[in-house]
């Protein structure tokens, strides 16, 4: 698992921000996934101040600073600046920020503003969403990632077992490729794993005997999806005679990715077997289980009257 970090410069580029101060310190690192809007800190409460986070100053904070006396403003801003957060961002414009700019230049902290006025709460939602993904712990796995019926599926298996060929069949049935060969997994939360590509292999599918295919060029934009939440892990294996389980319902198994458990199952491959169809069935069955439905339970409930009649005999 790789712990990620980004720089203030990455934020500037991503959101096209203007740098008012601290341009020489844009390499300050950001390691926290959420921004912070200081409030209590301006009145002297620093017990739980997340100094490692990007600090957002909206209209409320700026108006509060404007109302202070010059001496009081120096103290309030100086207290926060002394903790050296990675940067300050003001989404509501630059009017009256001369004093804040002075403090940031002196402390070596980048002061950034948006190119146009933005509602602070809406800007926070955007930058938080970006930081969660950009700083998410990640790992790479060998496999294929697909979106089938809106459900993210990770296909694994030994090299040459037929993962990419199966993916190609699924694409032909209207499903979407996310990544082939190298799948990047990002941990967004304790329950969420996001699957995506590594940029270099984006839109490419490698098929033995044919080589590389660009699925977007061949099948259109709907054949590719940039990322998907992984809901199901499927291990493709070679056919083993008399090794298939024919129980009414399989006991749930899981695979662990960075502490997140993903439901997992095995599908054996054999010439003539509709593996793509089985994957579609697995996706639909997973969805039904999320709705609380079990085909095995319904089947057994239909047999209960028969069992009752047998017992009476």
């Amino acid at each position: 698992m790789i712990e990620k970090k980004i720089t203030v410069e990455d934020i500037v580029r991503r959101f096209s921000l203007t740098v008012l101060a601290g341009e020489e310190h844009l390499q300050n690192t950001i390691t926290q996934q959420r921004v912070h809007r200081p409030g209590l800190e301006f009145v002297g409460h620093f017990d739980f101040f997340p100094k490692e986070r990007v600090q957002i100053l909206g209209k409320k904070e700026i108006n509060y600073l404007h109302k202070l006396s010059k001496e009081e403003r120096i103290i309030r801003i100086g207290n926060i600046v002394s903790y050296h957060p990675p940067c300050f961002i003001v989404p509501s414009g630059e009017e009256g920020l001369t004093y804040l700019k002075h403090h940031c230049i002196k402390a070596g902290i980048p002061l950034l503003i948006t190119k146009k006025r933005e509602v602070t709460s809406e800007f926070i939602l955007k930058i938080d969403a970006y930081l969660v993904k950009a700083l998410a712990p990640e790992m790479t796995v060998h496999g294929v990632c697909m979106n089938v019926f809106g459900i993210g599926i990770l296909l694994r298996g030994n090299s040459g077992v037929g993962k990419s060929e199966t993916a190609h069949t699924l694409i032909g049935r209207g499903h979407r490729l996310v990544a082939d060969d190298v799948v990047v997994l990002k941990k967004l939360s304790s329950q969420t794993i996001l699957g995506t590509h590594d940029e270099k292999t984006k839109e490419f599918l490698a098929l033995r005997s044919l080589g590389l295919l660009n699925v977007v060029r061949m099948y259109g934009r709907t054949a590719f999806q940039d990322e998907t939440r992984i809901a199901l892990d499927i291990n493709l294996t070679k056919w083993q005679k008399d090794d298939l389980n024919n129980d009414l319902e399989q006991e749930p198994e899981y695979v662990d990715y960075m502490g997140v458990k993903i439901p997992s199952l095995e599908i054996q491959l054999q010439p003539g077997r509709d593996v793509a169809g089985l994957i579609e069935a697995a996706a639909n069955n997973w969805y039904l289980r999320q709705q609380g439905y079990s085909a095995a339970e319904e089947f057994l409930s239909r047999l209960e009257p028969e069992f009752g009649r047998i017992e009476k005999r």
Side-chain angles (χ1 to χ4, degrees), residues 58-230:
K59 275 188 176 181
K60 292 180 180 179
E61 292 77 22
I62 297 300
N63 287 339
Y64 170 76
L65 292 174
H66 287 344
K67 292 178 181 179
L68 297 176
S69 66
K70 181 179 179 181
E71 294 75 16
E72 187 68 17
R73 189 185 301 137
I74 290 173
I75 294 173
R76 300 299 186 191
I77 298 175
N79 287 339
I80 291 182
V81 166
S82 66
Y83 283 88
H84 290 279
C87 67
F88 290 99
I89 302 178
V90 182
S92 55
E94 62 176 304
E95 289 86 352
L97 295 183
T98 304
Y99 55 85
L100 185 57
K101 182 178 178 180
H102 171 76
H103 278 275
C104 289
I105 291 174
K106 188 175 180 180
I109 301 173
L111 174 61
L112 317 171
I113 62 170
T114 54
K115 290 190 180 297
K116 61 179 181 179
R117 291 178 180 271
E118 294 198 35
V119 177
T120 304
S121 58
E122 293 179 358
F123 180 76
I124 288 175
L125 289 175
K126 289 193 297 184
I127 194 169
D128 270 351
Y130 166 75
L131 289 174
V132 165
K133 287 185 181 180
L135 294 172
E138 67 178 46
M139 63 179 292
T140 59
V141 296
H142 174 66
V144 177
C145 186
M146 296 289 302
N147 185 282
V148 178
F149 297 131
I151 297 167
I153 294 179
L154 179 62
L155 300 178
R156 295 184 297 110
N158 293 332
S159 181
V161 77
K163 299 183 295 296
S164 298
E165 289 81 359
T166 301
H168 183 256
T169 302
L170 287 167
I171 292 169
R173 296 188 181 192
H175 306 297
R176 296 181 173 184
L177 173 72
V178 176
D180 180 43
D181 193 36
V182 178
V183 181
V184 178
L185 301 180
K186 292 177 175 283
K187 181 181 179 180
L188 300 189
S189 73
S190 60
Q191 297 180 324
T192 305
I193 293 291
L194 189 75
T196 186
H197 49 80
D198 67 349
E199 291 295 338
K200 296 186 289 293
T201 59
K202 180 179 180 179
E203 300 176 358
F204 287 115
L205 182 68
L207 296 178
R208 292 174 185 272
S209 302
L210 293 183
L212 281 178
L213 304 180
N214 186 310
V215 298
V216 172
R217 293 293 183 94
M218 292 187 69
Y219 304 111
R221 292 299 315 170
T222 58
F224 176 77
Q225 184 168 314
D226 200 55
E227 59 189 26
T228 188
R229 177 178 177 176
I230 301 297

Side-chain angles (χ1 to χ4, degrees), residues 139-146 148 151-157 163 183 185 193 195 228-237 251-258 260-267 278-279 282-283 286 289-290:
M139 63 179 292
T140 59
V141 296
H142 174 66
V144 177
C145 186
M146 296 289 302
V148 178
I151 297 167
I153 294 179
L154 179 62
L155 300 178
R156 295 184 297 110
K163 299 183 295 296
V183 181
L185 301 180
I193 293 291
T228 188
R229 177 178 177 176
I230 301 297
L232 193 58
D233 175 274
I234 297 179
N235 188 22
L236 301 180
T237 61
E251 285 295 320
E253 295 185 2
Y254 299 89
V255 62
D256 186 290
Y257 293 114
M258 296 177 286
V260 181
K261 291 185 176 180
I262 304 296
S264 180
L265 58 89
E266 177 187 353
I267 293 180
L278 291 174
I279 291 173
W286 176 89
R289 286 185 177 182
Q290 304 312 299

Side-chain angles (χ1 to χ4, degrees), residues 286-297:
W286 176 89
Y287 176 79
L288 289 174
R289 286 185 177 182
Q290 304 312 299
Q291 309 306 307
Y293 173 79
S294 167
E297 289 179 5

